[in-house]
Amino acid sequence: MTVNIMNEFGMGESGDINTYPSIIKLNTLTGVWSKRNVNESGESVWTPFTFPSEVAMDMANFKKGYNLLRKGMAPDNHLVLWSEPMPKQPSDDHKPCFEVNLLFKDKQLGFVTFSSNSICVINKMQALLEMYQNRKEDSLEVPVCAMQMETVATANGEFQVPKFTISKYVNRPEKLIKIERKEPEPTPTPTKPEFDDNLDDVFGNGGEDEF
C-alpha cells in the first residue's frame, strides 16, 4: 500500500511549488547546503539551508555522466540515465557528475535538482542507487529518503558527505517527471560509473560546486 506524497507533504493534489526545479549544492568541506535563489535585483544568490529529515528522490530518472562548470556560464552537461553506459568524456575538463531531482515537504525548498562532482558524494549516491535497484515492487513509486551527514577521510583530507537511506516508497508526485508503466522486464545491470579517482575541484574552491 502506498500513500500520496503530495498529501503527506501537505501540498495537496496540485502542489504549490515551482514548475522548474531550483538548484541546491553542498560544500563538502563545511557540510553546508545552499539553494540558488534570485534576489530583488534579479541576481542569483546562494542561501544556506538545513536539509530536512526526509526528501522524495526521483531515482528512476537519476542521471550520470560528465559536466563542465564555468563561472558565469551554464554547465555543459553530457548525462544519461543511470542504467545506460557512461557517455564519452567530451574533454579532460569535463568532470564526472550525477544529477537527481528532489522534492521537499518544505515549500520554501520545494522542487530542486542536486548535482555534484565530488567523488565522495558520488560514491554515496551509488550506494543509494544500488538500494533502489534492489527494489522488486512498483517501479513507478518514488523513494522517500532520510539523510545523515558523514565525515569521509581521504588522502586529500576529510569531507562532509550525505548518506541517504530509503525509508519508504510513495506514489509519484505530479511535479516530478512522468514515466510510463511498462510490462516487467529484467532489471538492467548499470555500468559502474567510470569516475575519476581524484577529488580535484574544478575551480579549486575546496569541494564547493559552482553553477
Side-chain angles (χ1 to χ4, degrees):
M1 179 178 180
T2 61
V3 296
N4 189 300
I5 192 174
M6 303 305 286
N7 291 332
E8 183 175 81
F9 279 13
M11 296 178 181
E13 291 295 333
S14 61
D16 184 20
I17 54 178
N18 293 330
T19 301
Y20 300 102
S22 298
I23 295 174
I24 63 172
K25 66 176 181 178
L26 170 66
N27 184 321
T28 54
L29 283 184
T30 64
V32 173
W33 292 88
S34 300
K35 179 185 177 185
R36 189 175 69 180
N37 295 308
V38 178
N39 62 20
E40 295 180 353
S41 301
E43 301 171 327
S44 293
V45 294
W46 290 100
T47 306
F49 71 92
T50 300
F51 204 98
S53 59
E54 286 189 327
V55 61
M57 304 186 72
D58 190 6
M59 296 303 293
N61 293 297
F62 182 94
K63 296 179 180 179
K64 64 182 182 180
Y66 298 93
N67 71 358
L68 174 60
L69 304 179
R70 296 163 292 186
K71 289 185 177 180
M73 300 180 66
D76 181 21
N77 294 326
H78 295 259
L79 305 172
V80 296
L81 288 176
W82 62 269
S83 56
E84 300 176 9
M86 280 287 286
K88 181 179 179 180
Q89 186 177 13
S91 74
D92 291 341
D93 292 330
H94 285 75
K95 303 301 181 183
C97 72
F98 69 86
E99 181 179 284
V100 62
N101 287 336
L102 315 179
L103 182 62
F104 291 105
K105 178 179 180 179
D106 185 345
K107 295 180 182 179
Q108 295 299 315
L109 296 174
F111 181 32
V112 302
T113 292
F114 175 43
S115 178
S116 178
N117 297 105
S118 165
I119 301 303
C120 289
V121 177
I122 289 171
N123 286 336
K124 292 296 184 181
M125 296 305 294
Q126 175 66 31
L128 175 61
L129 184 58
E130 290 173 0
M131 280 187 256
Y132 173 75
Q133 293 174 65
N134 290 332
R135 176 168 168 75
K136 302 299 182 183
E137 299 178 36
D138 192 341
S139 63
L140 294 186
E141 293 179 341
V142 176
V144 173
C145 300
M147 189 279 291
Q148 287 185 326
M149 296 298 293
E150 290 188 350
T151 300
V152 174
T154 74
N156 294 326
E158 293 187 343
F159 297 87
Q160 306 301 312
V161 299
K163 178 183 179 181
F164 292 98
T165 55
I166 298 174
S167 54
K168 57 187 173 183
Y169 284 81
V170 296
N171 293 335
R172 173 167 290 272
E174 292 181 1
K175 292 297 181 181
L176 293 182
I177 299 172
K178 299 294 184 181
I179 56 176
E180 297 180 359
R181 183 182 297 275
K182 298 180 181 180
E183 292 299 319
E185 297 179 357
T187 301
T189 301
T191 59
K192 281 292 183 180
E194 301 167 13
F195 294 121
D196 297 338
D197 60 358
N198 63 74
L199 293 168
D200 293 340
D201 184 78
V202 178
F203 297 121
N205 58 355
E208 186 175 15
D209 300 319
E210 295 287 350
F211 287 85

